Amino acid sequence: MKKVLSLAIVFAFVMMVVFAAVPAAAQDTRVGIVLSTGGLGDLSFNDAAYRGLQRAEDELGISFDYIEPADPSEDQTALRRFASRGYDLVIGVGFQMADSLRTVAGEYPDTKFAHVDQYFEDIPDNIVSLNFAEWEGSFLAGALAALTSENGNVGFVGGVDFALIHRFEGGFYQGARYINPDIEIQSRYADDFGDPARGREIALGMIDDGADVIYHAAGGTGSGVFQAAEEEDIYAIGVDSNQNYVAPGHVIASMLKKVDNAVFDTVKSVVEGNYQGGNNLYFTLADGGVDLTSLTEVGQPVLDAHDNGTITDEELETIRQMKENVTSPYADRIAEIKEMIINGEIEVENWGETGRPDNL
Amino acid sequence: MNNYSDKIKSILTDLGLSLLSIVVALIVGTLFIFLTDKSPLDAYSALYIGAFGNFSAIANTLWRSTPLILTGLAVALPFRAGLFNIGAEGQLLMGGFTAGVVGFYFTSLPAFIHLPFAIIAGMFVGGLWGGLPGFLKAKMDVHEVIATIMLNHIAIALTINYGINIFRDTGRPATPRIMDSAAMFNFKNIMDHPFLSKLPFAELFAHPAIRLHINFFLALAAAVVLWYLLFKTTLGYEMRAVGFNPDGAEYGGINASKGIITAMFISGAVAGLAGVGEVLGTHFSFMQGMDAGYGFTGIAVALIGQTHPIGVILGGILFGALAQGGLEMQFSGIPSEIVMLIQALVIFFVAALQVFKVYLAKRKAKGGVE
């Protein structure tokens, strides 16, 4: 009897070890991410990258650690610590980290690296760079703005005047002109990604000059644009994440930049062993890397905002009615344009590379 | 003789009390670490290991402390002359930007001309940015706090917002990379150096993680020069006299405006050197975010160092260690918010100590009367 019992115990032990070993093998993949200054809570790409890793933790059984550097001098140290501790994949977020990532990647040729939001010239074999075709998504935003504008006058508020934001501006400009060649487009830069008061002033100025739809690519400055839209009862278009629940009824859509999907896919490629370094990847409309939020449905993030009490029942209803009256009539037209961009009938110019025309 | 040993005694007491207040701050900090379900012991050993755990950690602590020592000095010197320089941030930006532009613009200068030229140009422009509010104060009685704060805003607009856009060649919000001939010597490359590689223990520095560059030694030199200026020269005596009692100094035949303008010019140049070092030694281009608020942290560094150049060096190293070790705390799972909170607690308690000492001195004086 005793023998049987001890055999059973041994058997149980063996089974535990065998079964435990299966998820443990998957858990061997460790990912370290260094976020850009600003860190979590930016409602933009830091949060999105974090969401991607959370999803990878749930679905792929990886583990990850993150660092929020206090200033750019810490980037290199943080990346190096992850690499020296044998993390399988080290991710850097934001254009400021590009040089540091290249340096550290040179020191650890056997570690895999990924970078979000910066094109690399002569990209090393152990870096994959994740970029987004913001100009394609912004083209849809521009088209929607031109379709909904009653005054034939739309606005663009940029964060800082440089190549990355020119991609958004260029797409918006071309999209609006595609719908209405005579449309007036106002374009201003706030010189800051975190100054809502400035965003509001700029937006109010544009509204004064006749704009009735304003698109922003200005991070936190954009919340001032939404505020102005609410005060003056005009429409705004959000960016990066689904921002449609902010200023309920006034944000008609958001241009999504799905950093979370890109990060998730990269982690997946490492887990599955088909990571391909030395590549500048572009996520486009075709693969859903950029997109416009649905023009007919209110969308899960808005419902979530309702569930956690950010917006009230009434505000949700306002958003619903806005979708029905303002945007859904154009849903088919926008879907058609999206299809034309994907199959190449419309070619959208990337102002980040061609440069912003001087005579706007 | 007796006076001398008294002085040493009081310095040792000061140091002991400073250490004590750091310990108290860390004890209070444990309360917040408990909120995160992590062990305070792990967190603090990470802080220590990150800042002093091995040779490269120590070297990098000194690297992080370099701009803080310089901005601390830039606040301390005018403080002795009775002026509150809030403008180190702007002076740092102007100096750094100038060095960055000189660094990439001249493409064919030899290193022995290019680097000194970039350093001096940066310090000079930083000096002008500090000297201007000094001039306004001396000649027109414009309060230096207002003037320096306003000049900070102008410097941010001129360099980060406008300057970078003029020269930028890629999507990165930074000026182009500086020429190698303008780069400050980094100690990780020590084995390539003809003389330094002969030094004993030189190979300790030859580690890719080491980021210490020569600006640390320029900062030490600046501290020594300022100490000599303040305490060993007539000009320094005059500055201190103006700070102690401007009307009395004037009455005693001291030219107060000369002292004010000189102190602010030198202070601006020293803050400028902080920016120069970050650009030519750390980032190799003037980039958005390189200032990292050093100009404002410098105020705390100066006050903790009791506005004495040697105290400022120690204060700068303390802040550098907190910055360098703080990153390691994040690796032990402490969120960056708690790390910042602990850094702030240390500053708070060290500053509170100064108040406590004033209180003690008052009580002692009172006791003496009775």
Side-chain angles (χ1 to χ4, degrees):
Chain A
M1 188 64 207
K2 232 178 191 176
K3 218 174 184 180
V4 174
L5 197 70
S6 56
L7 262 179
I9 291 173
V10 168
F11 180 73
F13 243 98
V14 170
M15 290 315 280
M16 259 164 72
V17 171
V18 168
F19 280 103
V22 176
Q27 257 178 6
D28 279 344
T29 303
R30 288 193 303 161
V31 180
I33 186 165
V34 183
L35 301 165
S36 67
T37 322
L40 292 178
D42 65 350
L43 298 179
S44 176
F45 57 60
N46 281 317
D47 281 356
Y50 187 80
R51 272 202 306 277
L53 288 177
Q54 277 182 320
R55 209 180 116 205
E57 191 176 34
D58 292 345
E59 294 178 20
L60 306 173
I62 59 127
S63 65
F64 74 94
D65 290 300
Y66 69 95
I67 293 293
E68 299 173 82
D71 65 71
S73 329
E74 295 190 352
D75 296 349
Q76 227 184 79
T77 317
L79 291 167
R80 189 176 284 117
R81 297 300 293 175
F82 277 132
S84 70
R85 287 177 184 197
Y87 279 70
D88 300 279
L89 173 67
V90 180
I91 306 175
V93 180
F95 49 78
Q96 279 178 325
M97 211 153 316
D99 276 6
S100 300
L101 193 91
R102 187 190 280 274
T103 308
V104 177
E107 292 166 22
Y108 294 90
D110 297 332
T111 305
K112 300 177 179 74
F113 292 85
H115 187 274
V116 180
D117 238 14
Q118 173 78 32
Y119 176 84
F120 280 69
E121 307 261 344
D122 310 320
I123 186 164
D125 284 342
N126 57 339
I127 299 181
V128 60
S129 155
L130 313 175
N131 300 278
F132 297 84
E134 292 96 351
W135 56 94
E136 293 187 355
S138 299
F139 189 96
L140 296 184
L144 178 67
L147 288 168
T148 39
S149 171
E150 286 171 10
N151 302 348
N153 190 327
V154 295
F156 171 80
V157 179
V160 174
D161 188 352
F162 75 108
L164 178 63
I165 304 302
H166 293 163
R167 297 183 189 170
F168 293 85
E169 187 189 13
F172 181 76
Y173 188 92
Q174 295 167 64
R177 278 285 148 89
Y178 177 79
I179 295 295
N180 174 2
D182 301 322
I183 198 164
E184 194 171 322
I185 302 168
Q186 305 182 44
S187 186
R188 290 271 300 279
Y189 282 85
D191 287 332
D192 203 325
F193 283 104
D195 191 348
R198 189 114 156 229
R200 177 171 167 268
E201 286 307 318
I202 291 176
L204 288 176
M206 288 178 165
I207 297 166
D208 226 28
D209 288 340
D212 56 3
V213 185
I214 303 179
Y215 174 48
H216 86 90
T221 302
S223 58
V225 174
F226 295 148
Q227 200 187 339
E230 193 164 32
E231 283 170 30
E232 299 292 319
D233 195 21
I234 61 135
Y235 297 122
I237 299 177
V239 82
D240 289 347
S241 299
N242 188 328
Q243 301 181 318
N244 300 355
Y245 59 88
V246 192
H250 295 276
V251 182
I252 51 176
S254 297
M255 200 287 281
L256 299 176
K257 186 167 157 180
K258 294 183 182 158
V259 177
D260 44 352
N261 289 6
V263 167
F264 178 82
D265 290 350
T266 309
V267 174
K268 197 171 170 194
S269 76
V270 171
V271 172
E272 292 176 352
N274 50 17
Y275 166 92
Q276 293 208 316
N279 274 319
N280 280 296
L281 301 180
Y282 272 104
F283 294 86
T284 61
L285 271 184
D287 54 37
V290 293
D291 204 354
L292 204 61
T293 54
S294 164
L295 299 180
T296 48
E297 317 267 323
V298 289
Q300 195 56 42
V302 175
L303 296 176
D304 289 345
H306 175 252
D307 289 342
N308 66 27
T310 313
I311 56 172
T312 63
D313 294 348
E314 255 169 57
E315 286 170 335
L316 181 64
E317 193 47 40
T318 315
I319 294 175
R320 222 169 236 145
Q321 275 173 11
M322 182 272 293
K323 286 272 165 201
E324 209 174 298
N325 300 331
V326 183
T327 59
S328 52
Y330 304 114
D332 291 341
R333 182 86 172 99
I334 294 292
E336 190 184 307
I337 295 173
K338 181 175 164 182
E339 205 45 53
M340 286 165 82
I341 296 176
I342 292 174
N343 63 29
E345 276 174 70
I346 299 176
E347 275 186 38
V348 189
E349 208 173 85
N350 172 8
W351 283 12
E353 276 172 18
T354 61
R356 178 174 187 257
D358 290 328
N359 54 348
L360 284 184
Chain B
M1 193 61 208
N2 192 24
N3 187 20
Y4 200 68
S5 69
D6 269 2
K7 211 172 171 185
I8 290 178
K9 212 171 162 188
S10 91
I11 288 176
L12 284 179
T13 329
D14 265 11
L15 272 178
L17 283 172
S18 292
L19 284 178
L20 185 72
S21 55
I22 293 172
V23 170
V24 174
L26 296 183
I27 291 171
V28 176
T30 54
L31 297 179
F32 294 98
I33 296 175
F34 278 128
L35 292 178
T36 66
D37 305 329
K38 302 282 171 186
S39 139
L41 206 65
D42 288 353
Y44 287 140
S45 67
L47 179 67
Y48 176 79
I49 288 169
F52 302 109
N54 55 42
F55 189 79
S56 14
I58 295 172
N60 284 345
T61 291
L62 299 182
W63 162 63
R64 293 306 299 269
S65 63
T66 307
L68 295 167
I69 293 173
L70 285 165
T71 52
L73 291 172
V75 176
L77 175 74
F79 202 83
R80 290 280 174 154
L83 299 164
F84 207 4
N85 179 15
I86 312 282
E89 186 80 7
Q91 294 145 15
L92 177 153
L93 283 169
M94 294 302 286
F97 181 71
T98 309
V101 172
V102 171
F104 82 82
Y105 195 78
F106 298 94
T107 49
S108 50
L109 291 177
F112 70 91
I113 296 177
H114 199 180
L115 177 60
F117 176 39
I119 293 176
I120 291 168
M123 289 181 72
F124 181 74
V125 173
L128 289 183
W129 214 250
L132 181 64
F135 176 82
L136 292 174
K137 166 81 175 179
K139 302 294 180 192
M140 289 158 217
D141 208 21
V142 176
H143 202 289
E144 77 280 3
V145 169
I146 310 285
T148 51
I149 288 178
M150 291 304 141
L151 283 172
N152 282 344
H153 287 294
I154 297 174
I156 290 170
L158 269 182
T159 59
I160 294 177
N161 295 345
Y162 189 64
I164 286 180
N165 277 330
I166 299 176
F167 296 112
R168 176 170 50 215
D169 62 351
T170 62
R172 212 164 68 100
T175 56
R177 199 185 149 89
I178 58 165
M179 299 292 139
D180 287 342
S181 53
M184 282 185 172
F185 176 75
N186 190 307
F187 284 90
K188 75 178 177 199
N189 302 324
I190 196 163
M191 296 321 274
D192 304 336
H193 194 279
F195 307 118
L196 292 176
S197 58
K198 304 275 193 297
L199 290 174
F201 306 117
E203 67 277 6
L204 278 177
F205 283 101
H207 187 283
I210 286 195
R211 309 196 66 194
L212 183 68
H213 47 79
I214 48 165
N215 207 40
F216 176 69
F217 294 95
L218 296 184
L220 294 187
V224 173
V225 169
L226 288 198
W227 170 80
Y228 186 83
L229 174 81
L230 263 179
F231 298 107
K232 300 290 163 190
T233 65
T234 321
L235 183 64
Y237 173 78
E238 288 178 358
M239 282 180 193
R240 284 184 292 136
V242 172
F244 192 67
N245 180 350
D247 295 334
E250 196 87 42
Y251 187 71
I254 289 172
N255 182 349
S257 25
K258 185 181 137 205
I260 288 173
I261 298 174
T262 323
M264 284 303 289
F265 180 85
I266 296 175
S267 144
V270 171
L273 182 59
V276 170
E278 287 306 283
V279 169
L280 302 183
T282 300
H283 300 298
F284 305 110
S285 62
F286 178 84
M287 63 188 281
Q288 194 188 339
M290 57 70 71
D291 50 303
Y294 293 135
F296 301 116
T297 317
I299 297 171
V301 172
L303 294 179
I304 282 181
Q306 310 209 351
T307 68
H308 190 289
I310 308 302
V312 168
I313 294 178
L314 295 176
I317 292 175
L318 169 67
F319 277 71
L322 285 173
Q324 180 65 22
L327 188 64
E328 193 62 31
M329 276 175 90
Q330 275 200 54
F331 277 100
S332 75
I334 309 291
S336 64
E337 289 81 6
I338 302 287
V339 172
M340 284 195 281
L341 200 147
I342 287 167
Q343 290 168 340
L345 279 174
V346 172
I347 299 165
F348 178 79
F349 277 95
V350 175
L353 171 75
Q354 310 298 335
V355 179
F356 180 65
K357 274 198 301 213
V358 172
Y359 169 76
L360 273 190
K362 266 193 183 150
R363 252 184 76 156
K364 207 172 167 189
K366 221 176 175 182
V369 172
E370 279 167 3

